[in-house]
């Protein structure tokens, strides 16, 4: 192949499934290696398109941190549709096609020297994990790291062992809550994720917010961050990755008032999408 002509955003590249880890009843972590031996070269917050041969293609957030010198990367996927079901059924060693990485990303350099408040609702921890693990890898470059996680029930928590290890570190503050306990033996916080915010003492002049979750969470958490905590809306970043489809701004599936979220997003500064009525 002619040098410089070996990449097209339309053509999937082969990759091999090298590891699967069950995270909950419906969510599994997948580790892949690109067959070309090259790093994925992604940024925290970006996504890729994964093709399961003979079934179809779907977009997934990249959950691992950028790593030079390795061709492996991770995604975590909920089993909810035809492509995701086929992906869950793949054995280790199976081949898939990947395109990307695509989209915007969290402005890591803007966060250097600042505090970061991570707010993860539901499966929002999956894309935030890439930024979080990058900051932990380069811990000296960043200020306080605070992680708030909210899930609907204890059985829907993901990365449970990993979050438990994070909570034992003295260089990151971790709080979790669940909306309802049900018949579990959960002994932690109960309530929506906004109930955690008053428990965090923030240096509002020095704090950035990175947030991923369902739309209803955005409205309430942003309201609390801006209204109650007095954090500047300019320092709040959200991801609209849930709306992705083709990854190239061609299909129109992710358009928000004329803005293609897969090209201009998925990561947006809040003030850039605040005027868009359909965004949140």
């Amino acid at each position: 192949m002619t040098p410089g002509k070996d990449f097209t955003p339309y053509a999937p590249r082969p990759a091999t499934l090298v590891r699967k880890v069950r995270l909950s009843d419906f969510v599994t972590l997948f580790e892949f290696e690109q067959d070309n031996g090259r790093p994925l070269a992604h940024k925290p917050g970006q996504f890729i398109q994964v093709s399961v041969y003979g079934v179809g293609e779907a977009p997934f957030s990249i959950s691992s941190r950028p790593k030079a010198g390795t061709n492996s990367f991770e995604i975590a996927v909920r089993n909810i549709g035809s492509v995701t079901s086929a992906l869950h059924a793949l054995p280790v060693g199976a081949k898939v096609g990947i395109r990307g990485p695509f989209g915007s990303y969290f402005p890591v350099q803007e966060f250097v020297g600042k505090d970061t408040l991570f707010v993860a609702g539901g499966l929002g921890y999956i894309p935030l994990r890439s930024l979080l693990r990058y900051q932990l890898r380069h811990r000296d470059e960043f200020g306080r790291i605070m992680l708030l996680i909210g899930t609907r029930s204890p059985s829907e928590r993901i990365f449970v062992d990993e979050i438990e290890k994070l909570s034992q570190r003295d260089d990151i503050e971790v709080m979790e809550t669940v909306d309802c306990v049900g018949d579990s033996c959960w002994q932690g916080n109960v309530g929506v994720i906004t109930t955690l915010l008053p428990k965090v003492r923030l240096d509002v002049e020095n704090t950035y917010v990175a947030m991923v979750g369902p739309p209803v969470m955005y409205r309430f958490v942003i309201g609390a961050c801006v209204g109650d905590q007095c954090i500047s809306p300019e320092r709040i970043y959200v991801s609209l990755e849930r709306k992705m489809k083709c990854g190239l701004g061609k299909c129109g599936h992710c358009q928000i008032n004329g803005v293609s979220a897969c090209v201009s997003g998925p990561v947006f500064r809040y003030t850039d999408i605040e005027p868009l009525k359909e965004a949140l």
Side-chain angles (χ1 to χ4, degrees):
M1 184 171 289
T2 303
K5 300 292 186 182
D6 59 345
F7 173 78
T8 166
Y10 298 97
R13 308 182 301 278
T16 303
L17 177 61
V18 297
R19 186 169 65 101
K20 295 172 64 176
V21 180
R22 182 176 179 271
L23 300 178
S24 73
D25 289 344
F26 300 101
V27 181
T28 297
L29 176 75
F30 299 88
E31 181 180 358
F32 293 98
E33 291 181 348
Q34 292 204 99
D35 288 2
N36 61 15
R38 299 176 181 173
L40 188 61
H42 67 286
K43 303 287 180 58
Q46 290 190 299
F47 67 99
I48 57 170
Q49 299 279 357
V50 177
S51 296
V52 180
Y53 298 127
V55 180
E57 181 185 63
F60 300 104
S61 297
I62 304 161
S63 194
S64 51
R65 66 173 173 83
K67 292 181 285 188
T70 177
N71 60 335
S72 71
F73 62 92
E74 297 170 341
I75 60 175
V77 178
R78 184 178 185 185
N79 188 351
I80 196 173
S82 57
V83 175
T84 57
S85 294
L87 190 60
H88 277 74
L90 292 179
V92 170
K95 300 290 185 181
V96 299
I98 62 168
R99 295 191 296 120
F102 294 120
S104 62
Y105 45 86
F106 290 103
V108 174
Q109 294 305 312
E110 194 174 328
F111 291 10
V112 170
K114 308 296 184 181
D115 298 345
T116 307
L117 174 65
F118 290 85
V119 183
L123 301 181
Y125 181 73
I126 294 171
L128 282 177
R129 181 172 176 261
S130 179
L131 176 62
L132 175 64
R133 292 177 73 89
Y134 177 88
Q135 290 197 351
L136 292 173
R137 176 66 176 176
H138 303 273
R139 189 65 189 88
D140 293 342
E141 299 179 15
F142 300 93
R144 288 173 63 199
I145 298 176
M146 297 152 282
L147 172 61
L148 308 184
I149 301 173
T151 51
R152 286 187 296 186
S153 67
S155 65
E156 295 181 62
R157 297 168 66 220
I158 56 176
F159 292 102
V160 174
D161 293 340
E162 177 176 301
I163 291 168
E164 175 61 25
K165 290 180 180 177
L166 290 176
S167 68
Q168 295 173 3
R169 295 177 57 149
D170 58 8
D171 60 350
I172 176 173
E173 301 157 54
V174 180
M175 284 196 286
E176 282 192 86
T177 187
V178 298
D179 292 353
C180 57
V181 175
D183 57 359
S184 75
C185 57
W186 173 256
Q187 297 294 314
N189 296 296
V190 178
V192 295
I193 198 166
T194 49
T195 61
L196 298 179
L197 284 170
K199 301 178 181 180
V200 184
R201 301 189 65 178
L202 300 173
D203 177 359
V204 296
E205 300 297 328
N206 195 50
T207 299
Y208 278 79
V209 180
M211 185 186 322
V212 185
V216 66
M217 186 197 84
Y218 287 140
R219 291 194 289 272
F220 286 100
V221 173
I222 290 172
C225 286
V226 175
D228 301 335
Q229 302 287 344
C230 299
I231 296 175
S232 169
E234 294 281 341
R235 294 201 300 273
I236 297 175
Y237 287 86
V238 303
S239 174
L240 303 181
E241 47 84 34
R242 71 192 185 283
K243 296 179 181 290
M244 302 307 160
K245 184 65 175 179
C246 74
L248 298 169
K250 304 295 185 183
C251 70
H253 187 269
C254 67
Q255 281 205 351
I256 306 169
N257 298 112
V259 175
S260 293
C262 66
V263 176
S264 301
V267 177
F268 292 92
R269 188 194 300 268
Y270 169 58
T271 49
D272 291 337
I273 59 170
E274 185 180 13
L276 305 180
K277 293 181 180 179
E278 299 174 3
L280 300 178

